[in-house]
Amino acid sequence: MTDGERLLDAVLRLTTALQRDMETGLAAVGLTPARAHLVGVLVTSGPQPQQALARQLEVTPRNVTGLVDALERDGFVTREPQPTDRRASIVTLTARGREVADGLVAGRRELGGQLARVLPAGRVAALADDVAALADEVERLAGGAR
Amino acid sequence: MTDGERLLDAVLRLTTALQRDMETGLAAVGLTPARAHLVGVLVTSGPQPQQALARQLEVTPRNVTGLVDALERDGFVTREPQPTDRRASIVTLTARGREVADGLVAGRRELGGQLARVLPAGRVAALADDVAALADEVERLAGGAR
DNA sequence: CCACAACGTGAAGCATCTTCACGGTTGGTA
DNA sequence: TACCAACCGTGAAGATGCTTCACGTTGTGG
């Protein structure tokens, strides 16, 4: 097995483990990955109409409707009417939604710290750069085929 | 942002890109990730009853039924009766299934090569080790909470 | 021979996600 | 100013992946 394949294997394993880890954490606060993603966008970009959310999440507007339905049902967000355009409604985090979102950010920070502690301090930054380079390449590969 | 968070960000980005890349490649040959996973198990472990597949895929036997239904419908596998146990049927790759599976293996090898070429040759092996260490840690974290 | 275990699947349900169609709104243009 | 095309959100229908529960069929140890 070449080093490249070993690398790919390791990345795939990390991917799986990370995904599992995040999903269980999300489930603990009552969120699914897709809904958490939407909450994340609300945190970083503020209250928005569903169209804008659909663009940022790269899914269809119809799908956003369903995600917001669930988040609204569970009390994480509300749909506020937009006075300037009665077609659109603004999706806004509730207090509880903001709480949970803050928890997610904290969890992410903590996980970053735990990962950094696995390796010698000096190597973490370089590793981040290398992994970023890999990500760039893969994005390039996928984009080039577009 | 700490190095740990930068690393986590890079890994998450790589994860997303890699997943997209693989999904499009899979779709091109008529497979979904879950069905490809099942095909992969058949390649490495040979023809098996659905129970064994369920164990290796870490999903419920009921789910395997659906995956095999689809793969059988599309001509990638067949269900052969097992003479020694009439309850079970053995899931086996068809010629076409084996072809497609070989293609997947080749694609994986190629992707590994492409990733290796992104970085200086000397660093790939070390990177693979580091990423593997991260994967170990994340698996440990998830396992510890079990 | 019989109770219990194992194999696969029907039924029902949840989460993502898609496409298509439609109804209400806006906004710019004839 | 009337009008129509573009736009917002959502109903309907469907594909995929997963789960649990219930069942019928088959194997097997006592």
Side-chain angles (χ1 to χ4, degrees), chain A residues 5-73:
Chain A
E5 288 174 77
R6 277 210 309 132
L7 174 56
L8 183 55
D9 266 11
V11 168
L12 257 24
R13 204 155 60 80
L14 177 55
T15 285
T16 307
L18 218 41
Q19 194 167 323
R20 239 204 267 281
D21 184 75
M22 291 195 308
E23 271 180 44
T24 57
L26 255 29
V29 296
L31 282 177
T32 61
R35 296 172 197 173
H37 192 178
L38 196 155
V39 168
V41 170
L42 285 179
V43 166
T44 63
S45 305
Q48 290 166 76
Q50 295 183 191
Q51 288 292 331
L53 290 172
R55 277 190 294 273
Q56 292 193 59
L57 297 173
E58 293 181 71
V59 297
T60 59
R62 184 61 184 86
N63 190 19
V64 174
T65 298
L67 296 177
V68 172
D69 281 350
L71 287 170
E72 191 173 36
R73 166 174 54 73

Side-chain angles (χ1 to χ4, degrees), chain B residues 32 34-35 59-60 62-63 67 73 85-87:
Chain B
T32 61
R35 303 197 306 220
V59 297
T60 58
R62 184 59 185 87
N63 190 20
L67 296 177
R73 167 174 52 73
D85 187 343
R86 274 184 300 174
R87 290 170 303 181

